[in-house]
Amino acid sequence: MSKSQQQTYSAIVSANPYKGDYYVGTFNTLSLSTSPSFSKEQYSVSFLNTKGFISTLIGISKNIPDDDVYDALENKVYEELALDMAIEYQIRYVEAIHRGTEGDRFFHVFVVDPLTLEQDYTKVIDEIKYIDQIVPIPLLLKSLYVKEIIDSSDVHCFIYFQENDAFFCIYNEQEFIYAKSLKFSLLQMHERFCELLGEQIDFNTFGTMLAKEGLNTSNSDYQRNLIKLFGEIFLHISDIMAYAKRAYEINRFDEIFIGTSLGSVLGLDEYAQTYLGLKTIPFDFDYGFNTEGFRVDQIHQLMHLYGRLEAEERYDCNFTVFHRPPPFAKRESGKLILIAAASLAGALLYPGVYWGLSYIEEFHHAVLTKEYEQVHIEKMTREATVNLKLANKNAAQTLLDEQQSAYKQKKDTLVKVHEKKVDYPMKAKIMADFTRSFNQYRVQLKTITYSEDLNNTKTFAFGLTSSKTQDITALLKHLTDLKRDQYDFNLEMIAYDTNSSSYLSELKAVIK
């Protein structure tokens, strides 16, 4: 509860929806309420037992923004738990701050079927009309550390047996790690005990025996079967602890707190310590509440303790869908009443307001009419000026288009002339230039051809003959060194002609 809530609410009411009992806390006093009722001055808290939710550890990438964490977790929960996509489950989460890795964040995710909330809390809502907080029962234990009732940071196990449920929970470094519903509630213990005993006894008799005599009952048959019963229970718990060690990388458990909603069971903590080999302490804390000498269930006291925590001190994991009525002005009925009152006030004020507004509108109309006459004259003058400017612009544009067309024709003609004068190769000059090189290296020119392809590639093909192959290769080296910036040369082969006793080749020069 925030500071504002602590100042606003005068009482806290805790509700056990499974047993149907209520405790009201004012200041530090707790008292059983046999007839709870709705009050906007009270803050209401309830819990979900471990059978009422599914919990799992989910890891997601650290790159996912905080605004998208819920959607990412929801998708993975539906996938990993194979949930029915047709049901919109209630999903809440708590970050596992000690479990993160370099690339991932881990969250303890709690999943509740909406039908569970509707069915389990019907009677509570009938009594007190709303619930401010519904907390998974393992998270209530956080208040023990916040209020320093437990001040160590060891690995602690909590085992608590209730009439309709029993839970096993682990906290490490004062943070929630794991929770599991045990298959031995007090009712299930009673059924199994009767099976072992071979006769049926009343549940109240069974509960009274545990609360008053514990495991050291004077009835030897009862004691023997109780030992068998709790042997099965602790075997079940031992299996869960072995799984938790492996799954959550826990080296060892330091302490176990064990208790029941019936109160302390004599010999239970000693039996648990012997069986599990761990230090065992009764789950029976002094919360500082005045209970007027009556025994109050530990879960009710935990709810009152949790309800007094600051918002930042407790886990943000609230499953309530039974919210308190909104303020009067935000209710639909309140809005309707306020609108009706405003309408009535408006109806009473209408005649005077109408007369005043009519006078103001007439005055405003006269002013606007005079202003319109001036603006209209100015508008007509400006329209005539604009039309004249547009006519001049169109005439100038026509003249500009004609001048641009004539300019383009002349430009194209000059470009063609330049290409013919500058870029077009003069074949006679080129052939004369090559002939000088042929004569210099004693190579005779037998044939010459010139061609242009579709890509405008201009190629000269020279048919050459020489008495020595060295003259042809020397010529090629000379031309390549001298004219490589102007031509690409290609000489594929040199053939020997036995008839003329000379060497023949074809040299191609491609103008770059």
Side-chain angles (χ1 to χ4, degrees):
M1 195 185 317
S2 66
K3 291 181 179 179
S4 61
Q5 290 172 328
Q6 289 176 335
Q7 295 169 358
T8 302
Y9 303 118
S10 59
I12 295 178
V13 59
S14 60
N16 184 334
Y18 311 100
K19 195 175 179 181
D21 56 354
Y22 304 82
Y23 278 83
V24 176
T26 55
F27 298 103
N28 287 327
T29 300
L30 295 187
S31 57
L32 179 66
S33 176
T34 56
S35 57
S37 60
F38 167 79
S39 172
K40 64 180 181 180
E41 300 299 327
Q42 70 184 12
Y43 189 79
S44 56
V45 185
S46 190
F47 69 94
L48 275 166
N49 65 24
T50 45
K51 290 181 180 178
F53 62 84
I54 303 171
S55 66
T56 185
L57 187 67
I58 298 291
I60 60 173
S61 172
K62 285 185 176 179
N63 296 327
I64 296 177
D66 288 342
D67 292 341
D68 298 330
V69 165
Y70 180 86
D71 293 333
L73 290 174
E74 183 181 41
N75 292 335
K76 292 199 71 173
V77 165
Y78 270 87
E79 178 182 348
E80 293 189 9
L81 300 182
L83 300 178
D84 186 352
M85 299 297 291
I87 299 176
E88 187 176 353
Y89 289 88
Q90 295 286 330
I91 298 175
R92 303 289 184 270
Y93 60 88
V94 172
E95 184 163 8
I97 58 178
H98 299 305
R99 187 61 186 253
T101 63
E102 184 175 348
D104 293 327
R105 298 168 67 187
F106 285 84
F107 295 84
H108 298 291
V109 181
F110 300 87
V111 183
V112 177
D113 189 328
L115 187 60
T116 299
L117 294 174
E118 181 180 342
Q119 293 176 342
D120 290 349
Y121 295 90
T122 300
K123 292 183 179 179
V124 178
I125 296 305
D126 289 342
E127 296 286 349
I128 61 175
K129 309 305 179 189
Y130 65 88
I131 305 175
D132 291 298
Q133 271 200 320
I134 298 178
V135 185
I137 194 169
L139 301 188
L140 292 174
L141 300 171
K142 177 67 175 177
S143 57
L144 295 173
Y145 297 98
V146 175
K147 294 300 184 180
E148 298 182 352
I149 296 173
I150 301 177
D151 58 2
S152 71
S153 298
D154 294 335
V155 182
H156 296 139
C157 299
F158 297 88
I159 302 169
Y160 198 74
F161 299 96
Q162 299 168 273
E163 186 172 313
N164 297 295
D165 189 26
F167 69 84
F168 172 85
C169 179
I170 301 174
Y171 270 70
N172 184 17
E173 297 183 10
Q174 302 190 355
E175 297 293 338
F176 170 77
I177 298 296
Y178 173 71
K180 172 72 174 175
S181 178
L182 302 177
K183 63 181 180 181
F184 288 97
S185 66
L186 292 175
L187 286 172
Q188 290 169 319
M189 283 187 197
H190 169 246
E191 291 178 5
R192 180 57 180 157
F193 178 76
C194 292
E195 289 178 11
L196 294 172
L197 185 63
E199 64 178 270
Q200 190 71 25
I201 66 171
D202 184 72
F203 175 74
N204 292 331
T205 302
F206 175 75
T208 302
M209 174 187 65
L210 285 179
K212 292 186 175 181
E213 299 183 82
L215 302 185
N216 300 320
T217 177
S218 58
N219 188 316
S220 59
D221 287 341
Y222 286 5
Q223 184 181 37
R224 182 173 61 258
N225 288 295
L226 279 177
I227 296 300
K228 289 182 182 179
L229 171 63
F230 280 95
E232 294 178 7
I233 293 173
F234 286 113
L235 177 60
H236 175 55
I237 293 172
S238 179
D239 291 341
I240 294 174
M241 293 174 69
Y243 163 77
K245 269 189 174 182
R246 183 173 60 257
Y248 293 88
E249 301 175 358
I250 299 172
N251 295 325
R252 66 186 183 87
F253 297 106
D254 295 299
E255 293 177 329
I256 297 177
F257 297 90
I258 187 167
T260 74
S261 60
L262 299 172
S264 297
V265 176
L266 293 175
L268 179 59
D269 50 342
E270 292 89 346
Y271 186 87
Q273 183 165 325
T274 302
Y275 194 98
L276 300 176
L278 295 171
K279 180 181 178 182
T280 306
I281 302 171
F283 192 133
D284 189 8
F285 301 101
D286 181 6
Y287 300 93
F289 295 126
N290 177 14
T291 61
E292 299 177 348
F294 294 99
R295 186 187 61 79
V296 179
D297 186 358
Q298 297 283 304
I299 302 304
H300 273 290
Q301 298 193 65
L302 280 171
M303 283 192 282
H304 281 268
L305 197 65
Y306 197 82
R308 286 166 167 76
L309 297 182
E310 302 288 346
E312 62 275 9
E313 293 176 334
R314 63 190 176 206
Y315 290 121
D316 184 13
C317 187
N318 187 359
F319 277 99
T320 188
V321 291
F322 313 105
H323 301 286
R324 63 176 55 243
F328 177 79
K330 293 185 179 180
R331 300 180 204 171
E332 294 301 323
S333 58
K335 291 178 182 178
L336 180 62
I337 293 173
L338 291 175
I339 291 172
S343 300
L344 179 61
L348 295 175
L349 292 173
Y350 180 75
V353 172
Y354 178 75
W355 180 82
L357 290 176
S358 297
Y359 177 79
I360 293 172
E361 287 300 321
E362 288 177 1
F363 177 77
H364 192 211
H365 180 268
V367 172
L368 290 178
T369 300
K370 185 176 181 180
E371 184 179 348
Y372 169 77
E373 293 173 354
Q374 296 175 350
V375 171
H376 183 68
I377 295 172
E378 185 176 352
K379 172 195 170 188
M380 299 303 293
T381 302
R382 291 187 178 182
E383 281 184 350
T385 303
V386 169
N387 291 334
L388 178 61
K389 296 292 184 183
L390 286 175
N392 293 338
K393 175 189 173 185
N394 293 335
Q397 185 65 45
T398 302
L399 179 61
L400 176 61
D401 292 342
E402 293 174 354
Q403 294 294 329
Q404 285 180 335
S405 179
Y407 168 77
K408 185 176 185 302
Q409 292 177 356
K410 292 179 181 179
K411 177 182 176 183
D412 292 343
T413 302
L414 290 174
V415 168
K416 291 180 179 179
V417 170
H418 180 271
E419 288 178 350
K420 293 294 183 180
K421 284 188 67 177
V422 177
D423 298 334
Y424 190 80
M426 299 184 66
K427 300 183 184 67
K429 180 180 178 182
I430 292 172
M431 288 188 291
D433 188 27
F434 275 103
T435 301
R436 282 194 294 273
S437 298
F438 298 157
N439 292 336
Q440 180 181 350
Y441 285 87
R442 297 175 297 284
V443 176
Q444 296 181 9
L445 178 65
K446 301 294 286 182
T447 61
I448 184 170
T449 59
Y450 173 79
S451 64
E452 294 186 19
D453 61 15
L454 295 176
N455 296 325
N456 201 28
T457 302
K458 303 175 180 65
T459 306
F460 288 91
F462 302 102
L464 304 177
T465 181
S466 176
S467 59
K468 297 180 181 179
T469 59
Q470 291 85 350
D471 293 340
I472 295 175
T473 55
L475 170 65
L476 179 61
K477 183 176 185 305
H478 167 73
L479 292 174
T480 302
D481 293 341
L482 183 64
K483 300 178 182 297
R484 67 177 61 190
D485 294 335
Q486 298 171 275
Y487 303 92
D488 287 328
F489 293 99
N490 181 21
L491 192 149
E492 294 185 354
M493 63 179 292
I494 301 175
Y496 181 70
D497 185 6
T498 56
N499 294 328
S500 61
S501 300
S502 61
Y503 293 93
L504 304 177
S505 64
E506 184 181 58
L507 174 65
K508 290 183 180 180
V510 181
I511 300 176
K512 291 185 177 180

